[in-house]
mmCIF file of all heavy atoms in Angstrom:
data_model
loop_
_atom_site.group_PDB
_atom_site.id
_atom_site.type_symbol
_atom_site.label_atom_id
_atom_site.label_comp_id
_atom_site.label_asym_id
_atom_site.label_seq_id
_atom_site.Cartn_x
_atom_site.Cartn_y
_atom_site.Cartn_z
ATOM 1 N N MET A 1 8.438 -13.721 12.646
ATOM 2 C CA MET A 1 8.248 -12.284 12.708
ATOM 3 C C MET A 1 7.925 -11.770 11.308
ATOM 4 O O MET A 1 8.590 -12.111 10.358
ATOM 5 C CB MET A 1 9.520 -11.600 13.201
ATOM 6 C CG MET A 1 9.933 -11.940 14.611
ATOM 7 S SD MET A 1 8.682 -11.714 15.862
ATOM 8 C CE MET A 1 8.100 -10.098 15.567
ATOM 9 N N LEU A 2 6.908 -10.952 11.252
ATOM 10 C CA LEU A 2 6.507 -10.344 9.992
ATOM 11 C C LEU A 2 6.738 -8.838 10.074
ATOM 12 O O LEU A 2 6.372 -8.200 11.056
ATOM 13 C CB LEU A 2 5.027 -10.626 9.711
ATOM 14 C CG LEU A 2 4.637 -12.093 9.646
ATOM 15 C CD1 LEU A 2 3.125 -12.227 9.557
ATOM 16 C CD2 LEU A 2 5.308 -12.760 8.474
ATOM 17 N N HIS A 3 7.325 -8.306 9.045
ATOM 18 C CA HIS A 3 7.548 -6.866 8.930
ATOM 19 C C HIS A 3 6.373 -6.290 8.142
ATOM 20 O O HIS A 3 6.145 -6.661 6.994
ATOM 21 C CB HIS A 3 8.870 -6.617 8.189
ATOM 22 C CG HIS A 3 9.138 -5.179 7.926
ATOM 23 N ND1 HIS A 3 8.735 -4.558 6.772
ATOM 24 C CD2 HIS A 3 9.761 -4.237 8.669
ATOM 25 C CE1 HIS A 3 9.115 -3.294 6.804
ATOM 26 N NE2 HIS A 3 9.728 -3.075 7.938
ATOM 27 N N PHE A 4 5.611 -5.409 8.778
ATOM 28 C CA PHE A 4 4.471 -4.786 8.112
ATOM 29 C C PHE A 4 4.815 -3.323 7.868
ATOM 30 O O PHE A 4 4.798 -2.505 8.796
ATOM 31 C CB PHE A 4 3.210 -4.907 8.980
ATOM 32 C CG PHE A 4 1.972 -4.495 8.238
ATOM 33 C CD1 PHE A 4 1.244 -5.419 7.531
ATOM 34 C CD2 PHE A 4 1.548 -3.176 8.248
ATOM 35 C CE1 PHE A 4 0.100 -5.051 6.836
ATOM 36 C CE2 PHE A 4 0.415 -2.780 7.557
ATOM 37 C CZ PHE A 4 -0.306 -3.716 6.848
ATOM 38 N N PRO A 5 5.130 -2.960 6.616
ATOM 39 C CA PRO A 5 5.642 -1.616 6.300
ATOM 40 C C PRO A 5 4.544 -0.555 6.181
ATOM 41 O O PRO A 5 4.220 -0.091 5.096
ATOM 42 C CB PRO A 5 6.341 -1.850 4.966
ATOM 43 C CG PRO A 5 5.506 -2.921 4.318
ATOM 44 C CD PRO A 5 5.058 -3.817 5.442
ATOM 45 N N ILE A 6 3.990 -0.125 7.298
ATOM 46 C CA ILE A 6 2.886 0.831 7.257
ATOM 47 C C ILE A 6 3.312 2.192 6.709
ATOM 48 O O ILE A 6 2.507 2.887 6.087
ATOM 49 C CB ILE A 6 2.195 0.965 8.645
ATOM 50 C CG1 ILE A 6 0.831 1.653 8.511
ATOM 51 C CG2 ILE A 6 3.086 1.700 9.629
ATOM 52 C CD1 ILE A 6 -0.179 0.903 7.699
ATOM 53 N N GLY A 7 4.569 2.571 6.884
ATOM 54 C CA GLY A 7 5.042 3.857 6.349
ATOM 55 C C GLY A 7 4.875 3.958 4.844
ATOM 56 O O GLY A 7 4.204 4.882 4.343
ATOM 57 N N PRO A 8 5.447 3.023 4.067
ATOM 58 C CA PRO A 8 5.258 3.071 2.609
ATOM 59 C C PRO A 8 3.797 2.896 2.191
ATOM 60 O O PRO A 8 3.350 3.512 1.228
ATOM 61 C CB PRO A 8 6.107 1.904 2.104
ATOM 62 C CG PRO A 8 7.114 1.668 3.173
ATOM 63 C CD PRO A 8 6.435 2.024 4.460
ATOM 64 N N ILE A 9 3.067 2.077 2.930
ATOM 65 C CA ILE A 9 1.646 1.901 2.609
ATOM 66 C C ILE A 9 0.916 3.217 2.806
ATOM 67 O O ILE A 9 0.121 3.641 1.959
ATOM 68 C CB ILE A 9 1.030 0.775 3.467
ATOM 69 C CG1 ILE A 9 1.607 -0.574 3.043
ATOM 70 C CG2 ILE A 9 -0.491 0.785 3.354
ATOM 71 C CD1 ILE A 9 1.268 -1.720 3.970
ATOM 72 N N ARG A 10 1.198 3.892 3.905
ATOM 73 C CA ARG A 10 0.563 5.186 4.201
ATOM 74 C C ARG A 10 0.852 6.193 3.089
ATOM 75 O O ARG A 10 -0.018 6.968 2.702
ATOM 76 C CB ARG A 10 1.097 5.704 5.533
ATOM 77 C CG ARG A 10 0.434 6.959 6.031
ATOM 78 C CD ARG A 10 1.055 7.442 7.336
ATOM 79 N NE ARG A 10 0.911 6.454 8.393
ATOM 80 C CZ ARG A 10 1.937 5.937 9.077
ATOM 81 N NH1 ARG A 10 3.182 6.313 8.821
ATOM 82 N NH2 ARG A 10 1.735 5.064 10.028
ATOM 83 N N ARG A 11 2.078 6.189 2.589
ATOM 84 C CA ARG A 11 2.451 7.145 1.543
ATOM 85 C C ARG A 11 1.807 6.844 0.197
ATOM 86 O O ARG A 11 1.640 7.739 -0.625
ATOM 87 C CB ARG A 11 3.971 7.180 1.376
ATOM 88 C CG ARG A 11 4.694 7.889 2.482
ATOM 89 C CD ARG A 11 6.166 8.105 2.165
ATOM 90 N NE ARG A 11 6.894 6.869 1.912
ATOM 91 C CZ ARG A 11 7.469 6.109 2.846
ATOM 92 N NH1 ARG A 11 7.374 6.452 4.116
ATOM 93 N NH2 ARG A 11 8.118 5.021 2.523
ATOM 94 N N ASN A 12 1.459 5.586 -0.058
ATOM 95 C CA ASN A 12 1.048 5.196 -1.404
ATOM 96 C C ASN A 12 -0.393 4.723 -1.575
ATOM 97 O O ASN A 12 -0.856 4.607 -2.704
ATOM 98 C CB ASN A 12 1.976 4.085 -1.912
ATOM 99 C CG ASN A 12 3.383 4.573 -2.117
ATOM 100 O OD1 ASN A 12 3.623 5.430 -2.950
ATOM 101 N ND2 ASN A 12 4.311 4.057 -1.335
ATOM 102 N N TYR A 13 -1.109 4.442 -0.507
ATOM 103 C CA TYR A 13 -2.398 3.785 -0.681
ATOM 104 C C TYR A 13 -3.405 4.627 -1.476
ATOM 105 O O TYR A 13 -4.221 4.084 -2.223
ATOM 106 C CB TYR A 13 -2.982 3.300 0.654
ATOM 107 C CG TYR A 13 -3.718 4.342 1.452
ATOM 108 C CD1 TYR A 13 -5.087 4.522 1.300
ATOM 109 C CD2 TYR A 13 -3.055 5.150 2.369
ATOM 110 C CE1 TYR A 13 -5.764 5.470 2.042
ATOM 111 C CE2 TYR A 13 -3.723 6.091 3.107
ATOM 112 C CZ TYR A 13 -5.079 6.253 2.937
ATOM 113 O OH TYR A 13 -5.744 7.198 3.661
ATOM 114 N N LYS A 14 -3.336 5.949 -1.359
ATOM 115 C CA LYS A 14 -4.279 6.784 -2.118
ATOM 116 C C LYS A 14 -4.017 6.674 -3.618
ATOM 117 O O LYS A 14 -4.960 6.671 -4.413
ATOM 118 C CB LYS A 14 -4.211 8.235 -1.648
ATOM 119 C CG LYS A 14 -4.838 8.424 -0.283
ATOM 120 C CD LYS A 14 -4.843 9.865 0.141
ATOM 121 C CE LYS A 14 -5.454 9.988 1.531
ATOM 122 N NZ LYS A 14 -5.451 11.358 2.013
ATOM 123 N N GLN A 15 -2.740 6.571 -4.013
ATOM 124 C CA GLN A 15 -2.406 6.347 -5.423
ATOM 125 C C GLN A 15 -2.901 4.984 -5.871
ATOM 126 O O GLN A 15 -3.412 4.830 -6.971
ATOM 127 C CB GLN A 15 -0.893 6.419 -5.649
ATOM 128 C CG GLN A 15 -0.311 7.748 -6.007
ATOM 129 C CD GLN A 15 -1.031 8.442 -7.135
ATOM 130 O OE1 GLN A 15 -1.768 9.388 -6.886
ATOM 131 N NE2 GLN A 15 -0.849 8.013 -8.373
ATOM 132 N N TRP A 16 -2.719 3.982 -5.014
ATOM 133 C CA TRP A 16 -3.133 2.619 -5.352
ATOM 134 C C TRP A 16 -4.643 2.511 -5.509
ATOM 135 O O TRP A 16 -5.127 1.664 -6.265
ATOM 136 C CB TRP A 16 -2.640 1.633 -4.306
ATOM 137 C CG TRP A 16 -1.146 1.506 -4.257
ATOM 138 C CD1 TRP A 16 -0.253 1.731 -5.273
ATOM 139 C CD2 TRP A 16 -0.359 1.116 -3.139
ATOM 140 N NE1 TRP A 16 1.029 1.511 -4.853
ATOM 141 C CE2 TRP A 16 0.991 1.122 -3.534
ATOM 142 C CE3 TRP A 16 -0.652 0.762 -1.825
ATOM 143 C CZ2 TRP A 16 2.033 0.786 -2.687
ATOM 144 C CZ3 TRP A 16 0.383 0.420 -0.979
ATOM 145 C CH2 TRP A 16 1.716 0.432 -1.405
ATOM 146 N N LEU A 17 -5.388 3.341 -4.796
ATOM 147 C CA LEU A 17 -6.843 3.333 -4.937
ATOM 148 C C LEU A 17 -7.279 3.702 -6.358
ATOM 149 O O LEU A 17 -8.349 3.295 -6.807
ATOM 150 C CB LEU A 17 -7.495 4.306 -3.947
ATOM 151 C CG LEU A 17 -7.660 3.819 -2.517
ATOM 152 C CD1 LEU A 17 -8.098 4.972 -1.616
ATOM 153 C CD2 LEU A 17 -8.635 2.662 -2.434
ATOM 154 N N LYS A 18 -6.443 4.445 -7.057
ATOM 155 C CA LYS A 18 -6.771 4.904 -8.401
ATOM 156 C C LYS A 18 -6.493 3.856 -9.474
ATOM 157 O O LYS A 18 -6.822 4.065 -10.635
ATOM 158 C CB LYS A 18 -5.980 6.177 -8.724
ATOM 159 C CG LYS A 18 -6.305 7.334 -7.799
ATOM 160 C CD LYS A 18 -5.387 8.513 -8.082
ATOM 161 C CE LYS A 18 -5.592 9.618 -7.051
ATOM 162 N NZ LYS A 18 -4.639 10.721 -7.246
ATOM 163 N N THR A 19 -5.872 2.727 -9.099
ATOM 164 C CA THR A 19 -5.535 1.684 -10.066
ATOM 165 C C THR A 19 -6.473 0.485 -9.902
ATOM 166 O O THR A 19 -7.124 0.322 -8.874
ATOM 167 C CB THR A 19 -4.080 1.211 -9.878
ATOM 168 O OG1 THR A 19 -3.965 0.572 -8.599
ATOM 169 C CG2 THR A 19 -3.107 2.373 -9.973
ATOM 170 N N ASP A 20 -6.532 -0.338 -10.936
ATOM 171 C CA ASP A 20 -7.360 -1.545 -10.868
ATOM 172 C C ASP A 20 -6.734 -2.619 -9.995
ATOM 173 O O ASP A 20 -7.436 -3.416 -9.388
ATOM 174 C CB ASP A 20 -7.579 -2.122 -12.269
ATOM 175 C CG ASP A 20 -8.476 -1.234 -13.115
ATOM 176 O OD1 ASP A 20 -9.276 -0.470 -12.540
ATOM 177 O OD2 ASP A 20 -8.371 -1.300 -14.353
ATOM 178 N N HIS A 21 -5.426 -2.659 -9.976
ATOM 179 C CA HIS A 21 -4.711 -3.659 -9.184
ATOM 180 C C HIS A 21 -3.450 -3.007 -8.627
ATOM 181 O O HIS A 21 -2.753 -2.304 -9.335
ATOM 182 C CB HIS A 21 -4.333 -4.866 -10.047
ATOM 183 C CG HIS A 21 -3.726 -5.977 -9.256
ATOM 184 N ND1 HIS A 21 -4.489 -6.887 -8.573
ATOM 185 C CD2 HIS A 21 -2.442 -6.305 -9.013
ATOM 186 C CE1 HIS A 21 -3.690 -7.737 -7.951
ATOM 187 N NE2 HIS A 21 -2.437 -7.406 -8.199
ATOM 188 N N ALA A 22 -3.195 -3.244 -7.352
ATOM 189 C CA ALA A 22 -2.024 -2.641 -6.707
ATOM 190 C C ALA A 22 -1.255 -3.699 -5.930
ATOM 191 O O ALA A 22 -1.789 -4.754 -5.591
ATOM 192 C CB ALA A 22 -2.465 -1.515 -5.769
ATOM 193 N N VAL A 23 -0.024 -3.369 -5.629
ATOM 194 C CA VAL A 23 0.830 -4.266 -4.855
ATOM 195 C C VAL A 23 0.204 -4.578 -3.497
ATOM 196 O O VAL A 23 0.378 -5.671 -2.968
ATOM 197 C CB VAL A 23 2.259 -3.683 -4.724
ATOM 198 C CG1 VAL A 23 2.268 -2.436 -3.867
ATOM 199 C CG2 VAL A 23 3.224 -4.709 -4.193
ATOM 200 N N LEU A 24 -0.562 -3.653 -2.940
ATOM 201 C CA LEU A 24 -1.207 -3.882 -1.651
ATOM 202 C C LEU A 24 -2.265 -4.992 -1.743
ATOM 203 O O LEU A 24 -2.462 -5.740 -0.793
ATOM 204 C CB LEU A 24 -1.823 -2.587 -1.107
ATOM 205 C CG LEU A 24 -2.331 -2.628 0.323
ATOM 206 C CD1 LEU A 24 -1.233 -3.048 1.304
ATOM 207 C CD2 LEU A 24 -2.896 -1.279 0.731
ATOM 208 N N ASP A 25 -2.917 -5.114 -2.894
ATOM 209 C CA ASP A 25 -3.866 -6.213 -3.089
ATOM 210 C C ASP A 25 -3.151 -7.557 -2.919
ATOM 211 O O ASP A 25 -3.655 -8.463 -2.256
ATOM 212 C CB ASP A 25 -4.488 -6.164 -4.491
ATOM 213 C CG ASP A 25 -5.261 -4.888 -4.767
ATOM 214 O OD1 ASP A 25 -5.826 -4.310 -3.826
ATOM 215 O OD2 ASP A 25 -5.303 -4.489 -5.940
ATOM 216 N N ASP A 26 -1.972 -7.661 -3.532
ATOM 217 C CA ASP A 26 -1.193 -8.899 -3.436
ATOM 218 C C ASP A 26 -0.656 -9.115 -2.029
ATOM 219 O O ASP A 26 -0.685 -10.226 -1.507
ATOM 220 C CB ASP A 26 -0.028 -8.881 -4.427
ATOM 221 C CG ASP A 26 -0.485 -8.875 -5.873
ATOM 222 O OD1 ASP A 26 -1.596 -9.400 -6.154
ATOM 223 O OD2 ASP A 26 0.251 -8.355 -6.718
#
């Protein structure tokens, strides 16, 4: 079973778009 945390991703992905590398990339 994999836990996919869409809530935190939803809250942060726009901020991550502004960086060269983000935790979502990893």
